[in-house]
Amino acid sequence: MTPVVPPADDADPPRARGRADAERNRTRVAEAAALVFAEHGLDATVAQVADRARVGNATVYRNYPSKTELLSEVALRWLVDWRTALRAAADAGDVPFREVFLELYARLRGDRLALDLLRAGAIDDEVTAARAEVEALFTASLDAAVADGLVRPGITYADLSVLILGTAGRLSEIGETDPAAWRHVADMIWAGIATG
Amino acid sequence: MTPVVPPADDADPPRARGRADAERNRTRVAEAAALVFAEHGLDATVAQVADRARVGNATVYRNYPSKTELLSEVALRWLVDWRTALRAAADAGDVPFREVFLELYARLRGDRLALDLLRAGAIDDEVTAARAEVEALFTASLDAAVADGLVRPGITYADLSVLILGTAGRLSEIGETDPAAWRHVADMIWAGIATG
DNA sequence: CCGGAACCGGACTAGAGCAATCCGCTTCGA
DNA sequence: TCGAAGCGGATTGCTCTAGTCCGGTTCCGG
């Protein structure tokens, strides 16, 4: 059973194998993908990613078997990050829902992929599962706020989904990137759902 | 100069000329177009309209020179109708802005073309002009409400555009057609923009 | 510094989706 | 009855995109 494969001492760089230039390209592609998907969401094309990375499209496919795979990697990064933040807030216990709410707006601003993910994003099972977790955590936070009398009774996750994803989508659509403008909209929404 | 063309007594049916079956088809196409565009907005295809009218696609093109022309006719119908309503409200003078606001929500529900028109709809100059008029009338109504202290100061047409078009777009996207659900969202938005 | 393996870019393939046209056949109506 | 008006759907021509192929280039161990 003694393996014939290389020593496999992938200690520090978990994926650093093969030629150095190839590794450099892999990084470039990943970084470009993050930017391009943030800008164009699910509509981004592989060619756009390749161009941004200053690389041929074949190089993208050499590192990722399909566009879906690439999308999934970027999507999961966002979802896991947001999930971590939500869990931390839940664990702390004393984070007001308003902050969670505003934080979501801030994370959606300028990130069309994030928006697309929460809107429909059926990329693969892993992403779907992560999204479900994130939604559950957010819902729990909202329900607690309703129970505490911070948010008007009768307001559900479905309602907030329409309000937040709808307005964030529209802001993206018109190319609004000013944080103050986003904040202004968030404040109006908040005024509509908060108690007195 | 005595014209050789037919009597041209197009009194009652302004467009009734040619064979009866052709006229019938023209009507079917127009009706189908209204339904299909309402359902799919600008994304609707000519083939969908033809199928809905139970007609070959060539019949559509026999009556309308291009898809744009067809779209324009349907779009103008909606815009002129809404403009008329807005003018009537303005002339009456005592229509509370809240009613105008709710009426817009009602008119956007189940009509994706209307939504697309207000969101971006650059179909042709006529449509663009009609939309501009409609926006001006709505803005005037909003500004009056702000002046009257019914709507919080600092709320602009741009704000309402994001709130209304965003949420209506999202409701359409998820296929929500229940009037009560739309009304619920409208009420939340209203609570966010109205004074005390 | 050499040679072959690994890697590269971009031309290419395959296929979907669409507006608009063409044309042989059918139906209307004088 | 018969010719013109009208018909449908096959077809064309275009755009756009995911994914593959291949001749040339670059890296790096010996």
Side-chain angles (χ1 to χ4, degrees), chain A residues 94-179:
Chain A
D94 58 354
V95 178
F97 177 68
R98 179 154 195 268
E99 275 180 30
V100 173
F101 167 87
L102 289 175
E103 178 68 17
L104 177 54
Y105 259 101
R107 282 172 189 255
L108 288 174
R109 179 171 57 86
D111 195 338
R112 265 208 54 190
L113 178 59
L115 198 54
D116 287 351
L117 280 178
L118 296 186
R119 286 203 281 202
I123 296 174
D124 62 19
D125 292 350
E126 222 176 339
V127 167
T128 302
R131 194 184 65 203
E133 275 187 80
V134 151
E135 285 174 348
L137 285 162
F138 189 80
T139 302
S141 191
L142 166 63
D143 291 348
V146 172
D148 289 352
L150 298 172
V151 168
R152 285 171 30 213
I155 305 269
T156 64
Y157 174 73
D159 294 332
L160 268 195
S161 156
V162 169
L163 294 172
I164 299 176
L165 300 182
T167 53
R170 183 71 192 152
L171 285 165
S172 284
E173 218 168 277
I174 63 177
E176 179 61 77
T177 56
D178 178 14

Side-chain angles (χ1 to χ4, degrees), chain B residues 8-80:
Chain B
D9 64 330
D10 51 349
D12 214 5
R15 203 95 188 214
R17 186 152 283 106
R19 270 162 57 166
D21 58 341
E23 195 54 30
R24 199 161 45 235
N25 274 342
R26 188 188 168 78
T27 308
R28 290 162 69 90
V29 168
E31 288 171 351
L35 292 173
V36 170
F37 286 135
E39 185 171 356
H40 301 288
L42 297 174
D43 290 342
T45 68
V46 173
Q48 285 175 305
V49 173
D51 287 353
R52 184 78 169 229
R54 300 277 210 144
V55 133
N57 64 334
T59 295
V60 174
Y61 283 104
R62 219 166 280 118
N63 287 295
Y64 298 88
S66 68
K67 180 191 177 181
T68 302
E69 211 80 10
L70 180 52
L71 211 37
S72 174
E73 182 170 305
V74 177
L76 274 179
R77 204 143 48 205
W78 189 90
L79 286 169
V80 167

Side-chain angles (χ1 to χ4, degrees), chain A residues 15 17 21-30 55-66 69-70 73:
Chain A
R15 201 97 188 212
R17 184 150 287 102
D21 57 343
E23 194 56 28
R24 199 161 44 235
N25 275 342
R26 186 189 173 79
T27 306
R28 290 163 69 91
V29 168
V55 133
N57 63 335
T59 296
V60 174
Y61 284 105
R62 218 166 282 118
N63 287 296
Y64 297 88
S66 69
E69 212 80 12
L70 179 52
E73 181 170 305

